[in-house]
Amino acid sequence: MTYKNEQNTNILYKGNKIDPNRVSDPEVMPLYLSTAHNVADLDDLQNTYDRKGYAYTRSHNANRDGIAELMTYLEQSENSVITNTGMSAISTTLLALLTSGDHVVADKTLYGESIDFLKTLSKYGILVDFVDITNLDEVALVINANTRILYTETVSNPMMTVANIKAIADLAHSHQSYLIVDNTFMTPVLFHALTDGADVVINSLTKFANGHGDVTLGSISAKAEIIEKIYNLQVLLGTTGDPFDSWLAMLISQ
Ligand SMILES: Cc1ncc(COP(=O)(O)O)c(C=O)c1O
């Protein structure tokens, strides 16, 4: 669309682009709300997808990539994805990494809706045992040959249970399982779960990480190969984070 002033000359926009002669390097990251980006033809579209460029917002968005890079830096991980809520970070991760017949060991004082989601996994043939995660003997007792994931919060909501991440990570790895940690209450400012041996760290950015009470957003940080697996399902589930929320959350770094 071209906007004209009273003299019928173009103002500000040419087509749908800002006049390049009037743009300099913005100090704060611009907000990219456009659902789709123009491509020349089908080859151009394929190339855009291949280089993880911006063609369609559910797949890639510059603001979402910005906050993902920030979370990767803060969590000292290889890569991250941003989800539309903390709960979708949890559900997307578990659905991507588990398969029917698998077993999960989770702390019994987790955030209530995390417990409720874990319970729904029985519909897909995934069984979950809830334990006192601070009691390593109890954790070890329920681990079996099908255990794939140990799941805890660093400091649980609302009981404030403090998990020994290093010890639980050792236990998980000695049984060929992943340790997934929800770091929402600590944030990467206070605790680095990956450095202590966790395989995946999840944050509800809705809470302290965003800090100004105006977004729902989640993050998942891990090694690149784990994030690729999660991203591939995330795009199908449609749990990618909203550009405006991503932009608002970026304000913590700008
Ligand atoms: C520890 C923890 N994890 C996950 C969530 C879910 O986050 P969201 O509300 O962004 O879906 C919450 C919400 O309170 C939480 O406290």
Side-chain angles (χ1 to χ4, degrees), residues 85-87 90 111 153 157 182 184-185 204 206-207 217:
T85 62
M87 281 314 300
I90 294 163
Y111 175 60
E153 289 164 9
N157 177 11
D182 179 338
T184 299
F185 264 33
S204 166
T206 313
K207 305 283 161 12
L217 219 55

Side-chain angles (χ1 to χ4, degrees), residues 21-43:
N21 294 320
R22 302 180 65 182
V23 185
S24 56
D25 190 17
E27 196 178 7
V28 172
M29 190 179 191
L31 173 57
Y32 295 92
L33 285 178
S34 185
T35 310
H37 292 245
N38 292 328
V39 287
D41 51 32
L42 283 178
D43 287 341

Side-chain angles (χ1 to χ4, degrees), residues 207-250:
K207 305 283 161 12
F208 313 110
N210 174 53
H212 36 93
D214 47 16
V215 310
T216 59
L217 219 55
S219 68
I220 309 163
S221 302
K223 286 207 164 81
E225 65 186 59
I226 297 178
I227 289 297
E228 189 179 352
K229 224 183 227 185
I230 294 169
Y231 171 78
N232 288 341
L233 182 70
Q234 181 191 26
V235 168
L236 303 182
L237 292 175
T239 59
T240 43
D242 173 74
F244 186 45
D245 280 358
S246 301
W247 182 84
L248 283 169
M250 277 289 280

Side-chain angles (χ1 to χ4, degrees), residues 32-118:
Y32 295 92
L33 285 178
S34 185
T35 310
H37 292 245
N38 292 328
V39 287
D41 51 32
L42 283 178
D43 287 341
D44 189 22
L45 180 63
Q46 187 61 53
N47 287 337
T48 307
Y49 272 108
D50 290 347
R51 62 185 152 83
K52 298 186 170 59
Y54 303 116
Y56 186 58
T57 280
R58 177 162 46 77
S59 311
H60 288 289
N61 168 269
N63 297 105
R64 194 188 305 132
D65 283 357
I67 186 77
E69 275 179 30
L70 178 63
M71 290 311 295
T72 296
Y73 168 75
L74 291 174
E75 286 291 5
Q76 301 181 357
S77 67
E78 280 183 17
N79 208 354
S80 302
V81 289
I82 300 298
T83 54
N84 50 0
T85 62
M87 281 314 300
S88 66
I90 294 163
S91 56
T92 304
T93 301
L94 291 170
L95 290 173
L97 300 182
L98 290 167
T99 191
S100 180
D102 287 348
H103 173 247
V104 177
V105 180
D107 180 41
K108 64 183 177 193
T109 68
L110 294 176
Y111 175 60
E113 287 177 348
S114 297
I115 291 185
D116 290 347
F117 178 74
L118 282 159

